[in-house]
Every structure is written in structure tokens, then in C-alpha cells.
Amino acid sequence: MNATAAIPAPLRLAQLPRHQAGTVAGVDWHALSEPESRRLRELGLDEGVEVELLHRSGLLGGPIACRIGRMTVALRRHVAAAIHVSPKARR
């Protein structure tokens, strides 16, 4: 692999291609309400955690389903927009 190869910039979780794993690069906690932030922390979502986008709702601004560890959870689109992920290379 070329040492000067570009490292992909973090994407918002909802922008991650379906069924592609990524690592949480950061969470914009200030964009979330206190209950939303608390729920994400209770689910164990923080920097360094592996996530995978499973499904997007067909509705504009509808929820997404993602895998966090072994859990499948539904997130509102604005919550997913506050989560930045670095895509993992596909094998």
C-alpha cells in the first residue's frame, strides 16, 4: 500500500454505504439533546466503536438502523448526522 494514499475523511453515519463497517471518529454532542446524548452513551457509542449502517428509511429524514457492536438500533436521522465515522476498507 502506498504510504501517501489518502485517508478517507469521516462521514456522517447516515452517509456510510449500507453494510459497510466504520469506526466512530467523533460525536457532535452539542448537536444532541441531553436525553439523546445519554442514550448514545448508554448504548456504548463513543469514539473508536465499530458501527455498520444496515438500513435507511425511505422517508425523507426518516430513521436509520445500524449495528453497534452486537446490537441493532434505530436512530433518528438528526442523531445519526451528529455521529462521524471513518469507513473501514472493504475486503
Side-chain angles (χ1 to χ4, degrees):
M1 182 170 178
N2 186 353
T4 61
I7 298 172
L11 304 169
R12 294 177 191 272
L13 176 58
Q15 296 172 321
L16 194 65
R18 284 184 59 207
H19 302 292
Q20 181 175 352
T23 303
V24 176
V27 180
D28 184 4
W29 298 110
H30 299 292
L32 303 172
S33 69
E34 181 61 34
E36 292 166 338
S37 297
R38 184 175 50 249
R39 178 174 180 244
L40 290 182
R41 288 185 174 109
E42 287 170 352
L43 292 171
L45 196 132
D46 209 345
E47 289 183 21
V49 172
E50 188 171 309
V51 295
E52 177 185 358
L53 179 68
L54 300 175
H55 180 74
R56 288 182 192 88
S57 169
L59 301 173
L60 182 63
I64 67 159
C66 66
R67 182 169 292 129
I68 302 171
R70 296 186 324 173
M71 297 178 292
T72 300
V73 298
L75 299 174
R76 291 183 174 119
R77 193 69 61 112
H78 78 275
V79 173
I83 302 168
H84 302 278
V85 297
S86 296
K88 288 192 169 187
R90 290 188 176 207
R91 294 179 197 180

